[in-house]
Amino acid sequence: MVSFFKKAMSRDVYILAALVAIFFSLVVEAGAHGVTAGDKGFIQESSGTMIIPFIYLGAKHMVTGYDHLLFLFGVIFFLYRLKDVSIYVTLFAVGHSVTLLSGVLLNFSVSAYIIDAIIGFSIVYKALDNMGAYQRWFGFQPSTKIATLVFGLFHGFGLATKILEYKISPDGLIPNLFAFNVGVELGQLIALGLILIVMGFWRRTAGFTRHAYSANVALMTGGFIFVGYQLTGFFIS
């Protein structure tokens, strides 16, 4: 593992980083917590308790929320035991749920650009963590569990900010909000299952160790692009 982190960045790093840059340039216009026009209209116009539709919306958001997926990808990158995966995903889910629910119910929000920039930074942070950067730079390893919980809080707060922006109806707010959160967690399980399947196949190949560093450099690059996009939006909006 030590020799793995000492390897110089190969041509693969630049190829993967370029692919991530292209990907983000194509999809970043939607924003991390972007909602389709139809879903936005539904949230704005819905009134009364609507459990199933809001579960669907929550699941859809998580499955299509690439910021969440990239962070989860980084979190489980070097987790091989299902027990460890469960612990970290639970910490992320707890943080996500607390700020999603409390942010909406307490009507507390800040600029979506700032929150989404922090979410982008969470991707950068985790990629650097996977590359062993903090141990080399500071001589110690920050708690990955605490970091996962804290960034989970920001991920949930980002979604709460967007829901408040769409002015969800107070009629049926609490059951609809809890249904939405249930959907988010179901979507997270679906997405996580797919990621684990792909990672399982990749880890069985000889190229996993060879390309793991490059993959995290690409992940970090995507996070920086997202941070830059959000901060630009904040300053020019």
Side-chain angles (χ1 to χ4, degrees), residues 2 45 58 63 134 147 184 187 202 205 214 226 234:
V2 174
E45 298 173 8
V63 172
Y134 307 123
V184 166
W202 186 25
T205 67
S214 302
F226 189 60
F234 174 75

Side-chain angles (χ1 to χ4, degrees), residues 75-76 78-91 145:
V75 167
I76 69 170
F78 285 124
L79 297 180
Y80 294 90
R81 297 190 304 172
L82 186 58
K83 177 182 177 181
D84 293 330
V85 172
S86 300
I87 291 174
Y88 280 89
V89 172
T90 298
L91 288 170
K145 292 179 180 177

